[in-house]
Amino acid sequence: MHYGMVIDLKRCIGCSACTIACKLENRTPENVYWTKVLKTETGKYPAARGIFVPRACNHCTDAPCVRACPTGASHNTDKGVVIIDKEKCMGCRYCVLACPYHARSFEKAPTTGMPGGDYKKNQGTVSKCTFCQDRVTEGKEPACVSTCPAEARVFGDLDDPNSQISRLLKLESPRARVLYPEAGTKPNLFYLD
Amino acid sequence: MNFLEIVLILSAALFVIGFIALIREYVAKKEFTDVMDEIPWGLYIVAYFFFGGVGGGLLVWSAIRGFMTDDGSGLVLAILSLAFFIAAGFSLLLDLGKPSRFWRIFTIKTQSPMFWDFAGLAAGLAGTVGLILFHCGDLVFATNEQLGGSFLQISGWGSMGKFLLFLGANANIGFIVFGIACGMMVFAAECWTLNLCPGKGLWNERSLFFTLLFDGILFAFAFDGLLRLSGSAQSILIPFLVAALLLHILGYGSEHFLPKKKASPQVKTKTIWIAALEIISLVLLMINNYSGTYWLVLIASLLVLTGGVLHKYDQVILPQAAMSYEQWTEYKTPPIYNNQLSKASVCFGLLGLAGIVYFVVVKILAALLSF
């Protein structure tokens, strides 16, 4: 089993509902966003258009953050998800530097945030998208996937050829790409251009 | 009051200032205010590279002095190197988000450059201890007048002192080679740390090891001249400064010397300042060659060290602020590192700590020798 995600950029409307859903689900502290939608504009009037690119951890197979971590806190699970063991993280922020996708956040001293979050315990450590492992274990989809009103995100098992994600990648292979392939990280977050 | 007593008092004052700044940060819960996701490493890491570079350079210079002479300067250089390695270690500890979990570094993840940073520091410390033992043999020949400026006044030789002298007098060239190898390991670890992002081509700099080694030895000569240790450093400092100037002005084809065109405006002008400081130092040293005035060497050395700190700032902050992978379009404006006086105060405190550690180690050594 190897989890991955596909984001269809033609479907994304830049509403940032995924950002809010992720924050609500994971109780991330102030100024920490595990997923965000980057918005740029291209072209000139009257042909200008907005481009919305949802960004999150790419859960790379050859993750530089895992290699950089001196304590083993950042590691790949057997399902291909890169997670951070909060008990081991000493907050050196090597992984933040190593990640070419700027997917990680350092949890500084949060003064406000979502009720129920474990702020004091996680203060001084690094956090990032976990593909909502708790939800996935219960058979649900990650919060960002289930919330997306445009159904731009698809999550599933890349090793299962019959899964929706595998079939979508096969069908839309000319449009499928990953971010910064030259980094050699083998990301498992795909974009349909 | 002699010169080094003044240095000791200054070190103590700097340490107190840094300590108070650190306590105030923790009390006000502002210990991470300079950390940004775009620029996660700040002044403490700059301090680590500076102190580590000074320690490594002093270690190599101390080892080389072992080939050249036995006037005791090698011993003083080795103890100074130890003090700066300890300051470098503390700068890494202070930067951690959870310093109490520092012991997890012993997980020994050899793929992580940070493990090798600590291993390099440990090797540096081992190298300095080895060289201190080796240079103990110098004490047979060095007079109290030669050592007098270094606080190392030998009041008498006890059995422990004679044993250390015996070890030092019979230490062979292996100690020197060991010291140089440990120094190289420090620079190699630092080099890998700065080149740690395989995906960020900006940091894959093959010449970086030599840049770091060069910086370290330049700093060592500057400290040697500043503290009037060997007497020969200023004459060697001149050609090194000329080389440093050429490297900075010509750019050496390296982003670590010249900022990229799209670099954050925060660091764009730093190279000009570094070159200016080096030119002034060079002029002062050349004047000193004719006049023999120590104050010129003092000011020149301080300017070289100031330029060195700015260079380390560029080496650490610049690649983070330069933002590869077209992230300009993503973030709209370049990130600006939030320099903070409190963080700078703590870094000065670490410099003061190095001075105090030097004093303490010298006193312990003198006590051991008379034991």
Side-chain angles (χ1 to χ4, degrees), chain B residues 149-212:
Chain B
S150 65
F151 289 122
L152 191 60
Q153 301 282 345
I154 311 298
S155 52
W157 298 99
S159 49
M160 174 63 82
K162 287 174 185 170
F163 172 68
L164 286 174
L165 275 179
F166 171 78
L167 271 183
N170 287 281
N172 59 25
I173 203 168
F175 278 79
I176 296 176
V177 173
F178 179 66
I180 292 175
C182 290
M184 293 297 138
M185 193 169 160
V186 171
F187 295 120
E190 287 188 348
C191 174
W192 195 19
T193 300
L194 285 178
N195 275 336
L196 82 103
C197 307
K200 293 186 179 176
L202 178 67
W203 285 27
N204 280 333
E205 180 54 64
R206 279 188 293 269
S207 64
L208 184 57
F209 173 77
F210 298 102
T211 305
L212 294 169

Side-chain angles (χ1 to χ4, degrees), chain B residues 172-346:
Chain B
N172 59 25
I173 203 168
F175 278 79
I176 296 176
V177 173
F178 179 66
I180 292 175
C182 290
M184 293 297 138
M185 193 169 160
V186 171
F187 295 120
E190 287 188 348
C191 174
W192 195 19
T193 300
L194 285 178
N195 275 336
L196 82 103
C197 307
K200 293 186 179 176
L202 178 67
W203 285 27
N204 280 333
E205 180 54 64
R206 279 188 293 269
S207 64
L208 184 57
F209 173 77
F210 298 102
T211 305
L212 294 169
L213 174 64
F214 186 91
D215 278 348
I217 295 184
L218 191 65
F219 299 155
F221 291 152
F223 267 103
D224 192 325
L226 184 72
L227 301 174
R228 292 185 291 189
L229 292 174
S230 67
S232 59
Q234 65 222 47
S235 56
I236 306 173
L237 196 53
I238 289 174
F240 260 78
L241 264 179
V242 170
L245 260 174
L246 286 172
L247 285 170
H248 279 115
I249 292 170
L250 295 178
Y252 197 56
S254 157
E255 290 91 356
H256 286 281
F257 281 103
L258 279 183
K260 288 180 75 168
K261 285 180 189 170
K262 279 192 174 180
S264 163
Q266 188 178 28
V267 295
K268 213 184 289 184
T269 56
K270 289 282 190 303
T271 301
I272 298 168
W273 281 107
I274 295 167
L277 289 170
E278 285 169 351
I279 289 171
I280 297 170
S281 308
L282 199 55
V283 167
L284 291 174
L285 287 171
M286 283 178 171
I287 294 172
N288 175 65
N289 265 350
Y290 292 102
S291 64
T293 310
Y294 167 67
W295 285 104
L296 292 173
V297 177
L298 172 74
I299 295 168
S301 300
L302 286 174
L303 291 177
V304 167
L305 291 170
T306 305
V309 170
L310 291 177
H311 193 199
K312 293 300 171 190
Y313 187 95
D314 276 1
Q315 285 176 337
V316 173
I317 304 292
L318 169 62
Q320 298 175 80
M323 299 190 78
S324 54
Y325 298 118
E326 296 90 36
Q327 281 156 350
W328 296 103
T329 55
E330 293 182 10
Y331 290 98
K332 303 286 189 292
T333 54
I336 302 288
Y337 175 67
N338 183 15
N339 290 306
Q340 294 182 344
L341 183 60
S342 61
K343 296 277 182 274
S345 302
V346 175

Side-chain angles (χ1 to χ4, degrees), chain B residues 2-3 24 31 34 41 73 103 105 111 162 259 275 298 334 347:
Chain B
N2 69 31
F3 176 72
R24 287 183 66 177
E31 61 268 41
D34 68 322
W41 284 354
S73 60
W103 61 271
I105 202 73
Q111 279 193 319
K162 287 174 185 170
L298 172 74
C347 293

